[in-house]
Amino acid sequence: MSNEAIIFDAVRTPRGRGRKDGALNEVPPIELLATLFRALRERNKLSTGEVDDVIAGCVMPVGDQGADIARSALLYAGWDQSVPGFQINRFCASGLEAVTLAAEKVRSGWSDLVVGGGVESMSRVPMMSDGGPYVGQPLANLDINLVPQGVAADLLATIEGFSRETLDEFSIRSQRLAGKARDSGWFTSVVPVKDRNGMMILEKDEAIRPDVDMAALAKLKVSFQQMAEFGFGAVCLQNWPEVEKIRYLHTPGNSSGIVDGAALVLVGSAAKGKSLGLKARARVVSAAVVGVEPSLMLHGPAPASRQALKKAGMQLSDIDLIECNEAFAAVPLRFMRDMGIDDMDTLNVNGGAIALGHPLGATGAMLVGQAIDELERRGKSTALITLCVGLGMGQALIIERV
Amino acid sequence: MSEEMRYEKDGEGIVTIIMDMPGRSVNVINVEFGDAFGEMVDRVALDTGVKGVIIASAKKTFVAGAELDFLYKMEKPEETFALVQLMKARQRKLEKLGIPVVAAINGTALGGGWEVALATHHRVAIDDPRIKLGLPEVTLGLLPGDGGVTRMTRMLGLQAAFPFLTEGKQINPKEAKEIGLVDELATDAADMMAKARAWIKANPSSSQSWDRDDFRLPGGAPSSPKVAPALMVAPAMIRKKTQRNYPAPECIAAAMVEGAAVDFDTALRIESRYFSTIATGKVAKNMMSAFWFQLNAIKAGGSRPIGIAPTETKKIGVLGAGLMGHGIAYVTAVSGIEVVLKDMTQEKADAGKAAIAELVGKRVTQGKMARADADAILERITATGEAKDLAGCDLVVEAVFEDRDLKAKVTKEAEAAMDQSGVFASNTSTLPITGLALASSRPEKFIGLHFFSPVHRMDLVEIIVGKKTDEATLAKAFDFVMKIGKTPIVVNDSRGFYTSRVFGTYVLEGLALLSEGQNAQAVESAGLKAGMPMGPLEVGDMVGISLMHHITEQTVKDMEALGQKYDLGPGELLAGRMVKEKGRNGKSAGAGFYDYPKEGGKSLWPETYKLFPPAEVKIPQSEMIDRLLFLQALETVRCRDEGVIKAVADANLGSILGWGFAPWAGGTLQYINSYGLKAFVARSKELAAKYGPRFDPPASLVTMAETGKEFH
């Protein structure tokens, strides 16, 4: 392959609790991204005019996140005015799609150096801020078989027969691992967020609760029963006629946390990296994105991953680490079952979004950085990153250290 | 126990916190005030049976503002942040106790004082138009950091709060009542306290609107389509005024808008962060230094001779009723002093007085002056064509044409008629005072009083001490300038004195840039971006290119008479060429570097762009700015070396008030401090190597830089 897409660097902010009292609530999303643009420039002594394009995933691109946040933020960070930028939305995989697009641009040979990443300040621009046709067009709502993600997650868990305990146990694992990784300093792609005086606003991931136990999780009320009972449960049952009833299993404790954060990944050709003195850390091996049944919605990671593996000519056994986004505990559990993964030695080894939180537009890019950090720490080679996506999609990316 | 405040609880459980800082005529916000306030709040919280709290002052004013000394010394953002966060926590505690809290505003409440009032649930103010309420922080380069931005925004809404926060707009209690910043007006102190108590009794539990669940930002949230368009244009409006030289209004806008999008306490924290940036930043230090410490030092008589009793000027004569003359007569009459306005003829004098009548008439129409006051002012002015009417004047100011013979003639004439122990002052802007004093029979009573045009708007008066001028004369001149509400600076006699000499370098450097083939508009833009009120070419036009040229020719002649040679610089050569070859004498002639068409605004004369072949290398704007500002700063240092000006405060304020030298920099010498003396010397040397010896740093400056000194 003449135009390998090389990952030179990946940075992310810590994830702040996505509430009014979360540490990053006071930091506008443009500032979250700008923090990372400055960090990329400084860590890599990057002459920013060398960058051909910037892609930022953002799922609620309105209000503080509107008006092409990618181009806005890079200018705000003082990057060279010659660098364009744009914002994309593939829901929860937006950050991964941004990295994928960056890699594709480089592999096409039409770009030499591209930044992909994303941002979501969920405390400032809450979910649903962007409306959408299923708010304004009832028939579209019906024809698309729209259901909220959480109801879909309960449907998935119901179909798979997961118990509340299974989901909670998985969540405890996520909290423990994430806490350990954070406290051991393994999240080396994290760039602290400071104010303009240089005073610390948030240094480390804020949402992790490493000490939470099964008893505490068991007490939490289920989150999506009401929405299901309003009618979305019926939508699921009409689409999945073999399902008798939906069991309400997901809670705030075994679903991904609502957080604020951003991530950027620097991708380019080997030649460009060499000319700029950038250190090659990994190459993008392959990528895939698929659509699946929209009311079950969240089972896309496995078909996407299979497709990515096929494109790469690899087997699952060739993969050293897997990051499967923990949108809901049922998602990675279903993914394991689909892929025939029996043990969890390689999956989400430093926890996932249940502990760390899921800043929608940024998560995919965060997982790329997290995977590279961990591959380097373990001296391993390959990683598969995959996410479930709203409206029934799945996306995957395979990387290999170089 | 703090002595700053008293805690008085009456039989009905109403606590009055009386602010009464010892050893001061006014209450001010400082660390002691904050600690005392904290103690009071804690005491209210712990006391049982408190039904309500009144915050009142035992001084004539409520709280005058913050004591800037401690703010000026703040250098670490972390410490500044911690301090304001602590002050805010105390206010928050008080306003969240649930019991009613009332501010009894008996007098002016500005800055931190108004912020105290904002942290109460109800404001009762005495209805006295002299009482000023508001947040003037921005005028000193600061940001209202004790909750002012956050509370004003939540009380008024984003758009309505803008002028109060980003421009420091002040209002009186009645105006404040109209927009809801004050809740009740009182006729006097007793009425105020009675109303405060009545409100407490009627409202046994109370909270701030922003602490209630149903709070909505007045006018709409930042994202509202009603507000968003205004918010989009607001930064551009600030920039139009500031050229981005002033971080305070920018950060105030940021704290307002960003604060409006988050919780109240988060908004307060955002405000504290911006406050810390601003308070520890250079521009605030520069502006506090000039507009507070140095201005106060001047007004305290820093440059007035010591040991001379205060003087009073009872009646002045003004010679020449033209623009300067009638302006001087006007401001003097406004201050209550009787004026004899004399010109060659009664008609000319009457015309001068008519111009004054027009000025006061305009103020009356605008509602800024009462008809009776206007009449009284005009009554104080006697227009005359006769020198004998100067009888009894203890000060005469001449403002006739810049002609030595004419000035000599009017000097003699006036001295014969006026009070024999009185002082004669010349408003010359160019002619050395010592020379003019030759015509005087009492040269020790002869002084320069250099007013600026338009006199009623320009705050500065440059007092020029001639060789023979005595200290009593200087003291009288100084007291007179203070009396008419102007700011006096004291300089020694020299060509161009201080202001004209230094400010001339700005114009000349602009002309030098033009002579090098730099784009004319780029030169003007650099001047504006530097923070000067006009580009150098525009200023040159306004002063008059012909006048500048005339002064140069005079200088050459004078130097030749002394057997010295004067080398003309590029700016002086260009001015000569404009006058002699192009016939472009400046604005008053309707033709200079600009065209001045009768209809529409001025625009650069197309030929101005073609006076010189375009330079091969365009000088970056930052370097143009350095040249334009450095030369003025260097010339100021030379003035000090030569004893033309002594006090640093006089030099700084003279530059800002006299010709509008970049206020953000705090004046010509503070600009050097702020740049850093070592860096300034190094940069001067670079500029000298590239552009000539006019940028050579004087030896005194090099020594100061080497020994780590600054201008204070």
Side-chain angles (χ1 to χ4, degrees), chain B residues 123-450:
Chain B
R123 281 159 292 279
V124 185
I126 295 179
D127 185 12
D128 178 344
R130 288 168 301 181
I131 292 176
K132 289 188 259 178
L133 309 172
L135 298 167
E137 280 85 342
V138 71
T139 59
L140 292 172
L142 289 168
L143 176 154
D146 198 7
V149 171
T150 304
R151 288 194 178 86
M152 286 288 272
T153 303
R154 276 167 165 76
M155 288 176 74
L156 298 177
L158 284 159
Q159 275 172 283
F162 254 100
F164 293 99
L165 294 167
T166 63
E167 295 163 19
K169 182 180 171 187
Q170 297 175 15
I171 53 177
N172 64 36
K174 186 174 258 173
E175 293 163 327
K177 170 82 169 58
E178 279 163 19
I179 55 171
L181 286 177
V182 158
D183 302 288
E184 281 186 89
L185 294 174
T187 51
D188 54 26
D191 184 39
M192 171 182 74
M193 294 308 283
K195 281 181 166 146
R197 300 173 64 84
W199 191 80
I200 285 172
K201 285 180 193 164
N203 296 273
S205 69
S206 182
S207 62
Q208 298 282 32
S209 63
W210 43 83
D211 286 322
R212 296 194 285 266
D213 288 340
D214 62 350
F215 177 73
R216 290 285 175 274
L217 193 68
S223 56
S224 144
K226 277 186 292 179
V227 180
L231 292 186
M232 201 173 85
V233 79
M237 287 166 68
I238 291 171
R239 185 186 187 128
K240 185 178 170 189
K241 272 199 223 161
T242 65
Q243 296 269 350
R244 303 215 66 184
N245 286 321
Y246 300 87
E250 298 183 3
C251 286
I252 288 169
M256 288 174 75
V257 181
E258 289 175 27
V262 295
D263 267 8
F264 190 80
D265 289 302
T266 307
L268 287 179
R269 192 166 63 247
I270 290 171
E271 180 191 292
S272 296
R273 291 191 193 284
Y274 282 116
F275 176 78
S276 305
T277 309
I278 289 296
T280 58
K282 276 187 179 178
V283 172
K285 304 285 188 214
N286 290 343
M287 292 178 75
M288 280 191 266
S289 163
F291 297 115
W292 185 253
F293 296 106
Q294 297 186 357
L295 190 60
N296 288 345
I298 288 175
K299 296 200 160 162
S303 292
R304 187 185 185 277
I306 298 164
I308 294 175
T311 66
E312 200 186 333
T313 295
K314 296 192 181 77
K315 182 177 177 188
I316 84 160
V318 178
L319 311 182
L323 189 65
M324 294 305 290
H326 78 243
I328 296 166
Y330 169 52
V331 296
T332 305
V334 167
S335 76
I337 299 175
E338 218 180 306
V339 182
V340 177
L341 181 59
K342 188 213 168 275
D343 209 312
M344 309 267 281
T345 63
Q346 182 70 44
E347 290 71 38
K348 283 190 175 173
D350 286 342
K353 188 170 173 181
I356 297 169
E358 198 175 315
L359 276 175
V360 293
K362 206 180 274 174
R363 290 187 67 78
V364 170
T365 336
Q366 288 167 345
K368 289 177 182 165
M369 189 184 276
R371 185 76 252 175
D373 292 338
D375 292 343
I377 288 166
L378 292 172
E379 202 138 302
R380 277 183 218 117
I381 301 169
T382 309
T384 180
E386 303 291 331
K388 65 175 166 56
D389 288 333
L390 296 170
C393 289
D394 54 342
L395 173 67
V396 170
V397 184
E398 68 81 6
V400 301
F401 291 116
E402 295 282 86
D403 179 294
R404 285 206 176 90
D405 295 339
L406 177 61
K407 284 189 192 286
K409 179 174 165 275
V410 301
T411 303
K412 288 189 166 76
E413 217 173 68
E415 283 186 350
M418 68 187 286
D419 187 341
Q420 293 304 296
S421 62
V423 165
F424 188 93
S426 170
N427 177 51
T428 181
S429 58
T430 53
L431 302 171
I433 289 299
T434 308
L436 294 178
L438 291 174
S440 169
S441 55
R442 301 186 292 271
E444 71 283 357
K445 297 284 173 208
F446 196 101
I447 200 163
L449 280 181
H450 179 200

Side-chain angles (χ1 to χ4, degrees), chain B residues 509 512-514 516-519 522-523 526 615-627 683 687 690-691:
Chain B
E509 195 57 22
L513 282 161
L514 197 60
E516 289 163 33
Q518 297 300 322
N519 176 285
V523 173
E616 277 172 32
V617 179
K618 284 189 178 176
I619 296 178
Q621 188 180 61
S622 58
E623 183 145 317
M624 286 193 191
I625 290 171
D626 280 358
R627 286 176 60 172
R683 180 71 175 138
L687 293 171
K690 271 171 107 169
Y691 302 111

Side-chain angles (χ1 to χ4, degrees), chain A residues 20-23 25-28 63-64 76 124 195-201, chain B residues 77-78 81 223 251 258 261-263 266 269-270 272-274 276-278 280:
Chain A
K20 288 288 178 193
D21 60 354
N25 174 246
E26 68 174 89
V27 184
D64 289 340
Y76 185 51
R124 295 176 68 104
D195 76 1
R196 62 186 51 242
N197 302 299
M199 286 156 60
M200 189 63 73
I201 292 178
Chain B
E78 294 81 1
F81 180 80
S223 56
C251 286
E258 289 175 27
V262 295
D263 267 8
T266 307
R269 192 166 63 247
I270 290 171
S272 296
R273 291 191 193 284
Y274 282 116
S276 305
T277 309
I278 289 296
T280 58

